[in-house]
Amino acid sequence: MEVLSRILKKTEEGGFIQGFHVGLVNSTSIRVSHLLFADDTILICDASREQILSIRLVLTCFQVFTGLKVIVGKSEIVPIGEVRNIQSLANILQCRVGSLPMIYLGMPLGFLYKTASIWNPILERMEKKLSSWKRLYLSKGGRLTLLKSTFSSLPTLFGTHSKEFLVGFFS
């Protein structure tokens, strides 16, 4: 995955793909074009034919360099906002079209984050992971602090964008 990350960074530095801006650091924003987790990858770019072709080239190079195969049957392209030519872009990558809201790696994406019902399954899983002896030694405030710190570190993607934008989920 380090190879894929480096190829994507070079592709972004060359201006072939663009991610989205996050916050400000020293008066400049950070641009995120990809997120990697184990063998799953999220690629973020504008909804343009040129950027999708660049992503296809990156994935092809990755397969050639590493001998690993991207399973396009399990991959999908998800529009954020209105994307008029989504099917033709999906055809370039030979993947299916998904939609928001969705669950990705157990996390809700595209939901209204204040809706309590979407967080209930996550809270239940976290409580199950805390074995019974650990629960006994954590106060209610301690459990709340643990939950808050865990949620604050989870990467989530919410919001809408004024221009056409795509998120690709690749396995």
Side-chain angles (χ1 to χ4, degrees), residues 16-17 45-57 77 88-90 92-93 166:
F16 296 104
I17 62 172
C45 71
D46 290 339
S48 74
R49 181 171 166 44
E50 293 77 22
Q51 289 193 37
I52 296 298
L53 287 169
S54 294
I55 286 176
R56 172 132 185 196
L57 181 60
I77 190 169
S88 66
L89 297 175
I92 292 170
L93 290 173
L166 295 174

Side-chain angles (χ1 to χ4, degrees), residues 75-149:
S75 302
E76 61 184 28
I77 190 169
V78 178
I80 298 177
E82 185 179 332
V83 178
R84 289 175 291 280
N85 58 343
I86 187 66
Q87 191 58 55
S88 66
L89 297 175
N91 290 342
I92 292 170
L93 290 173
Q94 299 174 342
C95 65
R96 62 181 188 244
V97 177
S99 64
L100 293 176
M102 65 185 290
I103 301 292
Y104 181 71
L105 297 177
M107 289 299 301
L109 298 178
F111 290 90
L112 294 175
Y113 67 92
K114 291 184 179 182
T115 306
S117 62
I118 65 165
W119 297 106
N120 288 339
I122 296 167
L123 289 170
E124 288 170 10
R125 268 187 303 197
M126 289 185 68
E127 286 178 357
K128 284 180 186 176
K129 289 191 187 264
L130 286 174
S131 63
S132 60
W133 69 269
K134 289 180 185 175
R135 271 189 252 140
L136 292 175
Y137 296 108
L138 281 177
S139 67
K140 192 169 190 162
R143 279 184 264 167
L144 185 60
T145 301
L146 177 62
L147 287 172
K148 284 182 179 178
S149 68

Side-chain angles (χ1 to χ4, degrees), residues 17-20 32-35 42-46 51 55 80 157 165-168:
I17 62 172
Q18 293 181 345
F20 66 96
V32 177
S33 63
H34 61 284
L35 300 170
I42 298 176
L43 301 176
I44 303 154
C45 71
D46 290 339
Q51 289 193 37
I55 286 176
I80 298 177
L157 178 61
F165 204 63
L166 295 174
V167 178

